[in-house]
Amino acid sequence: MNGEERRWRSVVIDPESDAVGLRADAGAAALFDGYSRSKLAQAIKEGRLVVNQETVRPKTILCAGDVISYDPTFFDLAPLRAEPFALPLLYEDDDLLVVNKPAGLVTHPTPQVRQGTVVNQLMGSGRRFAVGDDAERPGIVHRLDAQTSGCLIVAKTETARDGLVEAFRNHQVKKRYLAMVETKWDTEGTLVDLPIGRDPKDPKRRTVRTDGREAKSLFRTREMSDEASLMDVRIFTGRTHQIRVHARAQEHPVVGDTLYGFRRQRHETGHHLLHAWQIAFAHPRTGEWIHVAAPWDDEWERMSRVLSLPLPETTRETSEGPFDLSQPDEAD
């Protein structure tokens, strides 16, 4: 392999990826955040983005297991630079760590965002992280939307990374969120089972569509006021913007959500009010059940007072039924 080939990067299309079944240009856009579809189509036409080591056309349909390889120099990406590590640590051992990602921080770099991400801080932490098949996402096994705060797992070793990726793929990682949503929503448990796919009118958005990918979210009311409701949310799949899309589909969008929320927001917020409160998973090496909780930020406290929605008394609150994260779900 010559030096020019070594600089290429490759990504294997996961069976759960939004890219499955799409054209090569659209699928590449789904895989690589921040690249325009037209730029990716140009890369395909010039042989700078290939599928399974073969040149293809932009309209070639992608399948699970396909390997997309591309030359990053084609996109003139600025180099990544390490930044001081200031992420609150919730859990750490030799294999992995869990941080409390602040709202407003992008999880990993994109072609347009080259600094101020979780990855930049990981690079400056002095730790080694699993690289996997993408050198620009060391340690990253899942992501949170930029404005969503809370628990984010990061893999240090390749073994941990492989195990965690498999656990996420098989829906064996349990995730519990807090959400403040618009208007009164009184429910002891609403399961929203609606498929989600890209919005054909806006590539930044997702929407409910019959040909979308399976998505399930369970909402339960904790508190209500005249203007809003505080919800427990458990997700059983991990689609992009899943909770936000499902909340909007129930006519109760997340408070402060500028993409899916009401056109006229009742209150100004520093970020949308969705928090990855608790996460639980089997340790990829030891099998020990790990349960981690993340405290919410000052904006949550402020909006709790504004909307008269008391927050949980403790971040380590336990629960029963589907919101119990203290042990794995029983196998079907």
Side-chain angles (χ1 to χ4, degrees):
M1 179 180 289
N2 61 37
E4 202 167 284
E5 290 172 325
R6 278 197 298 269
R7 74 189 178 198
W8 281 50
R9 299 188 180 126
S10 299
V11 175
V12 180
I13 300 180
D14 187 277
E16 294 289 307
S17 170
D18 290 340
V20 174
L22 296 182
R23 291 166 45 117
D25 52 357
L31 287 170
F32 308 126
D33 294 342
Y35 291 112
S36 70
R37 184 167 168 175
S38 60
K39 185 70 172 179
L40 289 163
Q42 182 184 355
I44 292 169
K45 292 174 182 176
E46 295 185 18
R48 309 288 286 278
L49 187 153
V50 300
V51 179
N52 301 325
Q53 298 185 340
E54 295 183 358
T55 55
V56 295
R57 296 181 178 181
K59 67 180 181 180
T60 299
I61 301 301
L62 300 176
C63 301
D66 281 347
V67 179
I68 295 186
S69 303
Y70 67 101
D71 180 0
T73 63
F74 179 79
F75 301 95
D76 296 323
L77 298 181
L80 296 180
R81 302 189 185 280
E83 298 173 1
F85 183 79
L87 298 169
L89 272 173
L90 302 173
Y91 174 89
E92 183 173 17
D93 61 27
D94 291 340
D95 303 283
L96 59 92
L97 56 81
V98 184
V99 298
N100 187 1
K101 187 191 83 66
L105 194 66
V106 176
T107 300
H108 56 73
T110 70
Q112 284 74 39
V113 180
R114 309 300 292 170
Q115 58 187 11
T117 74
V118 170
V119 165
N120 293 99
Q121 292 198 34
L122 294 177
M123 292 170 61
S125 72
R127 299 168 175 85
R128 297 176 66 95
F129 295 98
V131 175
D133 54 12
D134 191 341
E136 295 218 336
R137 301 186 185 186
I140 302 301
V141 294
H142 69 124
R143 60 183 291 275
L144 296 175
D145 295 339
Q147 296 302 317
T148 299
S149 55
C151 295
L152 184 74
I153 306 173
V154 181
K156 290 182 175 181
T157 68
E158 297 297 336
T159 299
R161 179 191 177 278
D162 292 344
L164 288 166
V165 167
E166 186 70 12
F168 275 104
R169 180 183 297 123
N170 294 329
H171 311 303
Q172 295 168 337
V173 178
K174 298 176 73 169
K175 292 165 281 187
R176 183 181 180 186
Y177 287 71
L178 276 181
M180 286 187 188
V181 301
E182 300 280 6
T183 71
K184 289 185 175 180
W185 188 2
D186 188 4
T187 176
E188 294 183 1
T190 295
L191 178 64
V192 182
D193 185 358
L194 295 172
I196 291 175
R198 284 183 176 267
D199 188 334
K201 298 179 182 178
D202 185 347
K204 295 181 180 179
R205 291 170 55 96
R206 301 297 190 274
T207 189
V208 172
R209 47 188 299 170
T210 56
D211 62 346
R213 304 190 70 77
E214 178 188 34
K216 294 182 180 180
S217 308
L218 179 64
F219 293 83
R220 181 178 68 181
T221 306
R222 295 183 62 96
E223 304 283 350
M224 285 189 302
S225 66
D226 291 338
E227 292 185 281
S229 303
L230 179 65
M231 311 298 292
D232 260 325
V233 190
R234 170 89 192 274
I235 60 173
F236 302 96
T237 51
R239 306 302 170 209
T240 300
H241 300 174
Q242 177 174 319
I243 294 174
R244 299 162 65 192
V245 172
H246 277 173
R248 176 68 200 203
Q250 302 303 299
E251 300 183 349
H252 297 285
V254 172
V255 173
D257 192 338
T258 57
L259 191 59
Y260 299 102
F262 292 149
R263 185 169 297 177
R264 298 185 66 179
Q265 297 284 326
R266 292 184 174 90
H267 300 279
E268 283 193 19
T269 60
H271 54 77
H272 67 226
L273 294 172
L274 180 61
H275 179 64
W277 179 18
Q278 300 181 24
I279 197 164
F281 55 96
H283 193 283
R285 179 173 55 83
T286 68
E288 176 188 1
W289 189 248
I290 306 295
H291 181 190
V292 182
W296 38 83
D297 64 19
D298 291 343
E299 184 67 356
W300 273 85
E301 297 285 353
R302 184 182 75 83
M303 290 304 297
S304 169
R305 295 189 294 271
V306 169
L307 297 173
S308 300
L309 295 173
L311 295 170
E313 293 183 359
T314 172
T315 57
R316 291 291 302 180
E317 179 192 86
T318 58
S319 189
E320 297 179 351
F323 292 95
D324 176 19
L325 269 62
S326 64
Q327 57 188 350
D329 288 330
E330 293 183 6
D332 295 333

